[in-house]
Amino acid sequence: MPLRLFLANRQGEISMIRVEHLSKRFGNLEVLKDINVEIDQGEVISIIGPSGTGKSTFLRCLNLLDQPSGGHIEIDGQDILAPGAKVPALRRRMGMVFQSFNLFPHLTALENLTIGPVRLLGKPAAEAVSSGMELLRMVGLAEKAHSFPEELSGGQKQRVAIARCLSMGPEIILFDEPTSALDPTMVSEVLAVIRRLAKQGMTMAIVTHEMEFARDVSTRVFYMDEGLIYEQGPPAQIFDNPQRERTRDFIGKVRSLAWRVESADYDLYALVGRIEGFCEKHLIPHRTAHAAQLLSEELLGILLTGPAPHGIDLVLAYSEKHRSLELRLDSAGPPGDPLETADLPDDLALAIIRNYAEDIAYERVDDRNRLRMRVK
Ligand code: ADP
Ligand code: MG
């Protein structure tokens, strides 16, 4: 039977990965409580959730880098936890890409790609070199074939790491925060490679904090919390219409930046830095990020001269749906629009605000004055 037909026939019957009642504890710490999930061939799963909830542990249990404490894991119908299971062979069917690249520092990019196929799969060297070059070409790094890892940027190293993973011919790739260690300017080159693999039908599970990416690359999203896959569904459900409370909280928080200003001596530069980072993460245009920084500084300047110059809460919230950035400032004091009632330090502040914000609105919420606007 042709291989393709064989795969097609199998697809409907057996999930590529089936996990039942998976648990993992480290001493008294119960990290994974009861994970039940199936992943089919060709699926792209994004795994999101607060840090420390066991996302890495889950991936590490899947390919047995961590030994599960209980439960079952089947790969193509084979129980990989059964005594006598051929662990190295099973593990080879799953590639893993780590946050920290883990390239061999003393080998060139190309040698990093040929060593596994030659030593572990017994491929002839010439064949390994030619498919290694092809993979480097695919990730845009053919001209770096003879460079050592230390000569490459973080983004280039991670692309080599992905190519190395592919060189072993995995059936599924597990990514553990592949862009978290990268300078923001290099995130997109790595995501572009992963996107391309998704288009080619590679089965992947990706732990990520890149929400825009997770939304447009995934077939399903797992939200992990409390040692469980707390909620799962298509990206539109998880990001726009989460069904459960903790998912809603998490999604709300990753889309917003909250900052509390206690006094006029607040750290403006730290705030500006946080706004910059937040905007980069959500791929918000630089112009808008700059506007948000200027607005925050000017508005805080005005509120800090007001009647209750402390305890100001600033929130920047990004709406992916509308691709817009909202700025909110809540402050204490008697009712009244701070922009009307404050002794403005100068007209310049007001001019800047009107220039960089639109739909400026005042409302009284929970006995505090709220200013709300859309950053232009
Ligand atoms: P995430 O990837 O979601 O941030 P992890 O899977 O890395 O979470 O960790 C989940 C929890 O398990 C954390 O509390 C972490 O400290 C703990 N943990 C992870 N690995 C080990 C280990 N080898 N020994 C002890 N505790 C661990
Ligand atoms: Mg982790």
Side-chain angles (χ1 to χ4, degrees):
M1 191 192 303
L3 180 64
R4 238 210 265 113
L5 249 180
F6 175 66
L7 286 175
N9 279 345
R10 273 201 326 183
Q11 245 178 52
E13 298 163 13
I14 305 175
S15 299
M16 183 173 217
I17 297 183
R18 179 204 293 271
V19 176
E20 281 176 352
H21 304 302
L22 176 69
S23 64
K24 174 66 183 172
R25 53 172 71 241
F26 294 106
N28 286 331
L29 183 67
E30 193 177 25
V31 176
L32 304 179
K33 290 191 182 130
D34 185 18
I35 305 265
N36 296 284
V37 83
E38 290 179 21
I39 299 175
D40 289 329
Q41 189 162 18
E43 279 204 282
V44 178
I45 307 285
S46 289
I47 303 171
I48 62 171
S51 71
T53 46
K55 302 182 297 298
S56 298
T57 304
F58 175 49
L59 290 192
R60 295 171 60 84
C61 281
L62 281 183
N63 73 356
L64 302 179
L65 287 174
D66 278 337
Q67 184 65 29
S69 309
H72 295 282
I73 302 175
E74 281 178 15
I75 311 281
D76 284 339
Q78 239 184 306
D79 182 354
I80 67 171
L81 299 176
K86 296 197 175 59
V87 171
L90 285 165
R91 196 179 279 151
R92 220 166 283 148
R93 296 162 70 174
M94 281 186 259
M96 183 131 178
V97 174
F98 302 89
Q99 186 175 325
S100 50
F101 326 129
N102 295 7
L103 294 175
F104 300 115
H106 59 290
L107 299 180
T108 63
L110 180 58
E111 287 164 350
N112 263 281
L113 269 62
T114 56
I115 184 168
V118 170
R119 295 236 182 123
L120 299 173
L121 305 179
K123 248 194 193 179
E127 203 182 296
V129 165
S130 90
S131 49
M133 281 308 296
E134 202 174 304
L135 285 170
L136 284 176
R137 217 164 283 130
M138 194 204 113
V139 300
L141 290 171
E143 58 178 24
K144 300 288 182 189
H146 305 294
S147 301
F148 287 91
E150 64 172 21
E151 298 168 299
L152 303 174
S153 72
Q156 291 171 334
K157 276 190 260 205
Q158 192 61 301
R159 285 187 281 153
V160 173
I162 294 171
R164 181 180 62 177
C165 180
L166 291 167
S167 75
M168 297 297 286
E171 291 164 39
I172 178 168
I173 305 183
L174 312 175
F175 291 88
D176 194 358
E177 299 196 29
T179 60
S180 292
L182 299 177
D183 194 279
T185 57
M186 294 171 185
V187 168
S188 59
E189 67 193 54
V190 171
L191 295 183
V193 168
I194 302 176
R195 270 201 184 90
R196 177 162 174 189
L197 293 175
K199 276 213 188 86
Q200 293 173 345
M202 189 77 208
T203 312
M204 301 188 279
I206 310 164
V207 175
T208 184
H209 293 292
E210 302 289 338
M211 298 297 155
E212 290 248 352
F213 169 73
R215 168 195 288 264
D216 63 43
V217 81
S218 321
T219 51
R220 273 193 297 160
V221 179
F222 295 173
Y223 171 71
M224 279 187 71
D225 206 331
E226 298 187 320
L228 304 168
I229 294 179
Y230 180 88
E231 181 168 348
Q232 60 156 304
Q237 173 191 325
I238 300 294
F239 292 113
D240 298 332
N241 192 17
Q243 301 295 303
R244 300 190 64 192
E245 192 183 339
R246 278 170 170 270
T247 322
R248 272 198 292 272
D249 276 2
F250 178 80
I251 294 297
K253 275 200 202 101
V254 294
R255 299 257 182 82
S256 65
L257 163 74
W259 192 270
R260 188 168 174 88
V261 172
E262 295 290 356
S263 80
D265 293 328
Y266 77 103
D267 187 346
L268 171 66
Y269 296 99
L271 172 60
V272 163
R274 278 286 297 279
I275 294 175
E276 184 89 41
F278 174 80
C279 291
E280 268 167 6
K281 189 161 143 190
H282 292 279
L283 308 177
I284 294 167
H286 191 73
R287 191 171 29 85
T288 311
H290 182 64
Q293 291 166 339
L294 279 174
L295 281 170
S296 301
E297 179 179 359
E298 294 304 333
L299 286 157
L300 285 170
I302 291 172
L303 293 173
L304 287 165
T305 61
H310 40 65
I312 300 168
D313 286 302
L314 179 152
V315 172
L316 262 180
Y318 178 58
S319 155
E320 259 175 39
K321 216 170 181 173
H322 306 293
R323 302 206 166 260
S324 69
L325 191 62
E326 185 185 87
L327 175 63
R328 281 198 307 268
L329 287 125
D330 288 357
S331 56
D337 181 347
L339 292 182
E340 310 262 317
T341 54
D343 284 329
L344 296 185
D346 49 45
D347 292 342
L348 185 61
L350 215 49
I352 290 176
I353 292 165
R354 301 220 186 285
N355 197 20
Y356 288 101
E358 55 195 352
D359 305 332
I360 304 175
Y362 162 75
E363 58 193 338
R364 184 82 177 163
V365 180
D366 296 335
D367 291 334
R368 305 180 82 200
N369 294 318
R370 169 172 294 176
L371 277 172
R372 209 163 49 144
M373 62 207 68
R374 212 156 67 78
V375 181
K376 277 197 215 169

